[in-house]
Amino acid sequence: GENVEQHPSTLSVQEGDSAVIKCTYSDSASNYFPWYKQELGKGPQLIIDIRSNVGEKKDQRIAVTLNKTAKHFSLHITETQPEDSAVYFCAALFNKFYFGSGTKLNVKP
Amino acid sequence: SAVISQKPSRDICQRGTSLTIQCQVDSQVTMMFWYRQQPGQSLTLIATANQGSEATYESGFVIDKFPISRPNLTFSTLTVSNMSPEDSSIYLCSVGEGRDYEQYFGPGTRLTVT
């Protein structure tokens, strides 16, 4: 099956700085890669996704890049704000969804 | 996307008992799933809840421990049976929508077994 590795496990940035979270996957047949934000006490929320026929996708301060050759994809958050503090999960679809281990992002005001 | 609610939002249960978690969706959906999220961990798929037939379980999860019902296209239940402290987790219902069955999650049920 698929294996998704996510780094770093924790990330602390100053408000206004950028944050980057990286994931690698093992199965080249995976073709859909979503990112989720999970705030304390809540369920994961889909924030952005990318398909294998696209290299980059942006939505305001959030962007995702995909390198199919290297089998990795990244989440970029610019101009971070305290409300961006949460746990972020990447995932890859291969028959079912395989999730990364999560990154706890702390944005310091 | 669909609006998903779960009941209860949290519970504390004694070992050996069972708890049934309900998942309600505000629109008809084809695919519904149940996940487990152990404390500080990632999400693990328990099973796909199939409407009108038996659920499809992932490796490591069995029907006797996690019976699932899906009586219609908007509702599903997950029962955690004969609970032990190792079952203390967040249980999440999700629906799959769109071309790649994009997963949308409910708020979760936080279960503590003492």
Side-chain angles (χ1 to χ4, degrees):
Chain A
E2 178 64 280
N3 182 43
V4 178
E5 294 192 358
Q6 182 172 346
H7 300 281
S9 57
T10 60
L11 179 59
S12 190
V13 300
Q14 206 67 40
E15 182 178 358
D17 288 350
S18 295
V20 180
I21 303 170
K22 298 181 180 180
C23 287
T24 60
Y25 60 99
S26 59
D27 200 304
S28 57
S30 293
N31 56 13
Y32 174 64
F33 306 91
W35 284 90
Y36 290 87
K37 175 184 181 181
Q38 187 174 27
E39 297 177 69
L40 197 61
K42 297 185 178 180
Q45 176 192 3
L46 178 64
I47 56 172
I48 196 167
D49 56 15
I50 192 166
R51 290 183 168 82
S52 58
N53 58 344
V54 174
E56 182 176 0
K57 184 177 178 181
K58 276 186 178 180
D59 183 4
Q60 299 182 0
R61 296 186 297 109
I62 294 173
V64 57
T65 59
L66 171 65
N67 183 325
K68 279 201 68 181
T69 303
K71 290 190 280 188
H72 67 71
F73 57 112
S74 300
L75 177 70
H76 304 253
I77 307 175
T78 58
E79 300 172 22
T80 53
Q81 301 168 2
E83 51 265 37
D84 295 327
S85 296
V87 178
Y88 291 81
F89 292 98
C90 64
L93 174 62
F94 178 66
N95 296 326
K96 66 176 185 178
F97 283 92
Y98 292 83
F99 289 83
S101 53
T103 297
K104 185 174 182 180
L105 174 63
N106 179 36
V107 180
K108 295 178 284 186
Chain B
S1 62
V3 176
I4 306 164
S5 59
Q6 285 185 235
K7 285 187 201 178
S9 58
R10 59 178 65 240
D11 208 341
I12 301 172
C13 301
Q14 291 193 333
R15 68 170 68 213
T17 63
S18 297
L19 176 72
T20 295
I21 302 167
Q22 299 179 5
C23 178
Q24 180 73 54
V25 188
D26 70 341
S27 60
Q28 292 186 342
V29 292
T30 305
M31 305 295 288
M32 290 182 76
F33 306 88
W34 287 97
Y35 285 82
R36 183 174 73 182
Q37 185 177 28
Q38 294 180 301
Q41 301 296 313
S42 187
L43 291 80
T44 302
L45 180 64
I46 297 172
T48 302
N50 301 309
Q51 195 264 329
S53 64
E54 197 170 281
T56 305
Y57 289 84
E58 296 298 312
S59 176
F61 298 96
V62 295
I63 188 171
D64 289 347
K65 176 68 176 177
F66 298 101
I68 288 171
S69 78
R70 176 94 191 268
N72 55 52
L73 293 176
T74 64
F75 186 78
S76 179
T77 67
L78 168 74
T79 299
V80 186
S81 303
N82 188 24
M83 287 185 285
S84 67
E86 293 70 39
D87 294 320
S88 297
S89 289
I90 299 171
Y91 291 87
L92 293 154
C93 169
S94 78
V95 302
E97 295 186 308
R99 184 175 108 190
D100 292 305
Y101 295 111
E102 292 92 88
Q103 302 283 283
Y104 295 93
F105 289 89
T109 295
R110 282 145 190 83
L111 171 61
T112 302
V113 183
T114 60

